[in-house]
Amino acid sequence: MGSKKIYLIRHGQTEYNRIGIVQGSGVDTDLNETGRLQAEAFYQAYRHVEFKKIYTSALKRSIQSVEKFIASGIPHEKYAGLNEISWGKKDGQIITSDDDTFYKRIVASWRNGQVDQCIEGGESPLDVQKRQKPVLELILSREEEDCILICMHGRAMRILLASMMGCELSRMDEFAHNNLGLYVVDYKDNVFSLEKRNDLNHLGETLKT
């Protein structure tokens, strides 16, 4: 199996991010002005990298975050398997104090190893890991793509990184994320290693969210 360098980013800020509305796979929002500036800053910092392919979720906010790379001619594929976790009945709802308590309770259950738990109508981390697996296997099978860019979503990124690093899903919160934060992952001899972890240097102080 050949080696691969994976640049993995979370999408830029949306208005739902800014005002605290739950934003899972059932919500297909656009980047706001800050998100577009974050995307531009990332493009300017990394446009010199010779990406062989760009992979995104099927949601607009991930595609818009890398649209300048796509416009430059880099091949692009989108997969619903990379979508954010579904928050079920909470998707698109503003977070009340009761919702915040509920959210913290379910995240605590995941940390305690109950990764098959989900919000009503939504997905569990285990569900997301299962739908991510065939996409990751496809990406890894393409040995000619030795340098790629993946843009996706916060909770889904945590799940994917836990899978890559061979961690239990109960440890996924060890992988912090910010809008347009960057992980760089090296893959060689079937082993993943982290080169950068939620790097925000390309954003400067004014665009960190």
Side-chain angles (χ1 to χ4, degrees):
M1 184 72 69
S3 61
K4 192 181 295 283
K5 190 176 289 288
I6 300 168
Y7 289 71
L8 176 60
I9 58 173
R10 184 187 176 201
H11 63 81
Q13 188 187 73
T14 69
E15 200 60 14
Y16 276 22
N17 288 143
R18 189 184 70 81
I19 63 179
I21 292 179
V22 178
Q23 187 176 228
S25 63
V27 177
D28 197 11
T29 48
D30 295 291
L31 298 185
N32 64 11
E33 180 61 23
T34 296
R36 289 190 289 272
L37 291 173
Q38 290 169 332
E40 176 67 20
F42 180 78
Y43 175 74
Q44 292 301 328
Y46 288 95
R47 62 182 179 175
H48 66 283
V49 178
E50 295 183 3
F51 296 118
K52 300 292 177 33
K53 181 70 68 62
I54 297 171
Y55 294 91
T56 69
S57 78
L59 299 172
K60 290 185 295 184
R61 55 192 182 273
S62 69
I63 299 168
Q64 291 170 359
S65 297
V66 292
E67 61 186 1
K68 277 206 166 182
F69 292 95
I70 297 169
S72 74
I74 300 171
H76 166 232
E77 295 179 17
K78 60 183 179 181
Y79 291 94
L82 299 177
N83 283 4
E84 180 59 300
I85 194 170
S86 169
W87 294 109
K89 68 177 186 179
K90 299 294 185 183
D91 259 345
Q93 303 298 309
I94 195 158
I95 302 174
T96 65
S97 58
D98 286 344
D99 288 330
D100 189 55
T101 299
F102 177 77
Y103 174 80
K104 288 176 179 176
R105 189 164 62 245
I106 195 164
V107 170
S109 76
W110 294 343
R111 289 174 181 160
N112 289 329
Q114 297 171 288
V115 293
D116 59 344
Q117 299 296 304
C118 63
I119 291 175
E120 182 182 342
E123 293 178 296
S124 70
L126 195 58
D127 292 329
V128 176
Q129 185 183 55
K130 287 177 180 177
R131 64 168 161 83
Q132 287 179 350
K133 184 179 179 182
V135 183
L136 181 59
E137 289 176 346
L138 174 66
I139 289 170
L140 296 180
S141 74
R142 294 172 167 175
E143 296 186 23
E144 72 281 3
E145 296 174 6
D146 58 356
C147 184
I148 64 169
L149 174 61
I150 302 175
C151 184
M152 48 191 303
H153 309 264
R155 179 58 58 178
M157 269 181 64
R158 284 178 158 160
I159 293 167
L160 183 64
L161 284 163
S163 298
M164 286 177 168
M165 305 311 296
C167 298
E168 296 291 333
L169 285 180
S170 59
R171 295 176 54 194
M172 62 185 157
D173 284 349
E174 294 177 14
F175 302 100
H177 61 74
N178 291 75
N179 288 118
L180 238 307
L182 168 68
Y183 281 80
V184 178
V185 184
D186 287 311
Y187 178 71
K188 186 174 183 180
D189 298 328
N190 295 314
V191 176
F192 294 95
S193 58
L194 284 179
E195 183 179 315
K196 290 187 177 182
R197 182 187 286 262
N198 197 35
D199 182 59
L200 302 173
N201 288 328
H202 50 279
L203 294 179
E205 290 304 316
T206 60
L207 292 177
K208 293 178 182 178
T209 57

